[in-house]
């Protein structure tokens, strides 16, 4: 019985993979991975944020002779938002920078996705209250603008 249940779960995975995860914004594009990475970084800057971090396994894997699809996490934030978040909740700052995720698809195109700032900061609203919720909504708008600019 367990084997049957496990098999059914595995068969359902492709169906679940089609649905965006809760709290995520997903933007498929016709751009290549390298184009989308460059355009995302430019859009971050153009929208008043800073690329604070970037990390991904693609280049390190290639250096080891392993070829994997392009995969990069780009952390974006700025000092104004950092100070404002800290004024509402010290705990919430663990989530900064909030990250964009650029992934290369099998067909050579790339997808931009991210967890919405409101989703990321939701667990801290008990501490940060309405001011933190307002900051998160402001960041939602900014992250959406970054994404829409990067994918056009």
């Amino acid at each position: 019985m367990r084997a049957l249940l496990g098999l059914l779960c595995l068969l359902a995975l492709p169906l679940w993979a089609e649905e965006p995860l809760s709290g995520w914004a997903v933007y498929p594009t016709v751009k290549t991975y390298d184009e989308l990475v460059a355009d995302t970084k430019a859009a971050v800057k153009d929208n008043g944020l800073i690329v604070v971090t970037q990390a991904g396994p693609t280049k390190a894997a290639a250096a080891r002779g392993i070829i994997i699809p392009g995969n990069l996490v780009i952390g974006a934030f700025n000092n104004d938002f950092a100070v404002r978040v800290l004024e509402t909740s010290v705990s919430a700052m663990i989530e900064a920078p909030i990250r964009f995720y650029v992934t290369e698809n099998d067909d050579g195109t790339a997808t931009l996705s991210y967890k919405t700032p409101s989703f990321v900061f939701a667990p801290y609203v008990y501490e940060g209250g309405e001011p933190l919720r307002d900051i998160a909504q402001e960041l939602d708008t900014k992250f959406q603008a970054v994404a829409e600019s990067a994918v056009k």
Side-chain angles (χ1 to χ4, degrees), residues 25 27 43-44 46-49 81 84 98 100 112 114-119 121 132-150:
Y27 294 80
V44 165
D46 291 346
N47 284 278
L49 297 172
F81 283 111
R84 291 170 56 204
I98 299 173
F100 289 98
L112 178 64
Y114 61 92
K115 292 181 187 178
T116 63
S118 288
F119 181 79
F121 286 129
L132 180 58
R133 190 183 324 268
D134 291 345
I135 293 166
Q137 289 173 346
E138 187 178 340
L139 282 163
D140 284 346
T141 301
K142 194 164 283 284
F143 268 60
Q144 182 178 354
V146 168
E148 288 174 358
S149 176

Side-chain angles (χ1 to χ4, degrees), residues 42-67:
V44 165
K45 182 179 179 181
D46 291 346
N47 284 278
L49 297 172
I50 299 166
V51 172
V52 179
T53 61
Q54 51 186 331
T58 309
K59 289 182 182 178
R64 297 175 38 226
I66 302 168
I67 304 302

Side-chain angles (χ1 to χ4, degrees), residues 41-122:
K41 290 178 184 179
V44 165
K45 182 179 179 181
D46 291 346
N47 284 278
L49 297 172
I50 299 166
V51 172
V52 179
T53 61
Q54 51 186 331
T58 309
K59 289 182 182 178
R64 297 175 38 226
I66 302 168
I67 304 302
I68 60 172
N71 188 293
L72 186 67
V73 176
I74 301 169
F77 220 62
N78 70 25
N79 188 259
D80 176 61
F81 283 111
V83 169
R84 291 170 56 204
V85 168
L86 282 169
E87 289 172 348
T88 70
S89 168
V90 171
S91 301
M93 266 308 286
I94 189 75
E95 302 297 346
I98 299 173
R99 298 167 309 271
F100 289 98
Y101 190 30
V102 181
T103 52
E104 185 175 25
N105 303 315
D106 290 340
D107 66 358
T109 63
T111 298
L112 178 64
S113 55
Y114 61 92
K115 292 181 187 178
T116 63
S118 288
F119 181 79
V120 170
F121 286 129

